[in-house]
Amino acid sequence: LQQSYKPVQNEGACTSTDAFCRPDIIEKQLVYEGTHLYILYDYAPIGLGQEKLHFLIVSKNHRDGFRDLTKEEYLETHNLTSKLIKYYEKQFPITYLFHKTGTYGGQTVPHWHQHVIFAEDSTHEFFGKLKVMLKMLFYSKPLSNHELEQLVNKYRQQVQDAMK
């Protein structure tokens, strides 16, 4: 059988600009630790509505882009994402999933990560997409350390429950 994924050649090639290779960043934003991945709460959420639910699924080992994920990382990404969606779907029926690979794709952190953003209702459908696109292009305002800590603590238990 021919494998449909590319084996990773350059494992652990972190750069000084890679926030997701920094233990202090991971610790500050961590809401769940899987086998191969972390779920982080975004420090500058572009979520919609009051909750601003915006998570990042990040590979523990450095991966430049989506093509560099191992089969195990890809499958765990799908599993964790599915559990998050199932857990939040009643209150947040709209979910945006995206990742950006490479400079032309808009990737600003040189480490693969998938965004998982939730919206409360269909009124966010059109304007939500527009807002997400604009914030992807022009960035969101980072939360204060205090706000980030409060939200990480709030969502850590919810995400732990979602993973059961």
Side-chain angles (χ1 to χ4, degrees):
L1 270 177
Q2 188 173 7
Q3 296 178 345
S4 61
Y5 64 93
K6 176 181 143 190
V8 175
Q9 301 296 324
N10 192 14
E11 192 143 359
C14 287
T15 66
S16 61
T17 58
D18 185 346
F20 300 137
C21 281
R22 292 183 45 196
D24 59 318
I25 299 292
I26 298 301
E27 184 180 330
K28 191 179 208 179
Q29 296 176 238
L30 184 68
V31 293
Y32 182 79
E33 183 172 354
T35 305
H36 305 285
L37 305 163
Y38 299 115
I39 299 177
L40 307 179
Y41 184 76
D42 195 294
Y43 80 101
I46 59 176
L48 307 167
Q50 289 294 326
E51 291 290 322
K52 297 206 181 328
L53 271 178
H54 182 171
F55 298 107
L56 303 171
I57 297 181
V58 179
S59 58
K60 287 182 177 182
N61 290 316
H62 180 82
R63 304 289 182 242
D64 288 332
F66 177 75
R67 294 179 305 270
D68 301 318
L69 293 177
T70 64
K71 180 179 178 182
E72 293 76 21
E73 290 165 336
Y74 171 79
L75 293 173
E76 188 174 352
T77 299
H78 178 72
N79 184 42
L80 296 179
T81 302
S82 295
K83 287 179 177 183
L84 282 174
I85 292 170
K86 185 173 175 113
Y87 183 83
Y88 286 109
E89 71 185 346
K90 286 190 174 115
Q91 187 178 359
F92 302 96
I94 299 166
T95 308
Y96 300 98
L97 302 174
F98 62 92
H99 60 90
K100 304 176 282 186
T101 297
T103 304
Y104 294 117
Q107 184 177 12
T108 56
V109 176
H111 188 127
W112 178 85
H113 57 286
Q114 176 177 274
H115 295 260
V116 183
I117 301 171
F118 294 94
E120 295 173 34
D121 56 53
S122 59
T123 60
H124 290 120
E125 189 65 31
F126 173 74
F127 291 109
K129 288 178 185 175
L130 184 60
K131 185 176 180 181
V132 166
M133 290 301 293
L134 288 172
K135 287 194 173 196
M136 282 173 50
L137 293 171
F138 300 110
Y139 307 106
S140 287
K141 179 183 174 194
L143 299 169
S144 71
N145 285 334
H146 179 70
E147 289 174 305
L148 180 60
E149 182 180 2
Q150 284 184 318
L151 290 169
V152 166
N153 288 336
K154 174 182 179 177
Y155 294 124
R156 184 175 289 131
Q157 186 58 55
Q158 290 180 14
V159 172
Q160 298 287 331
D161 291 344
M163 296 302 128
K164 293 179 183 174

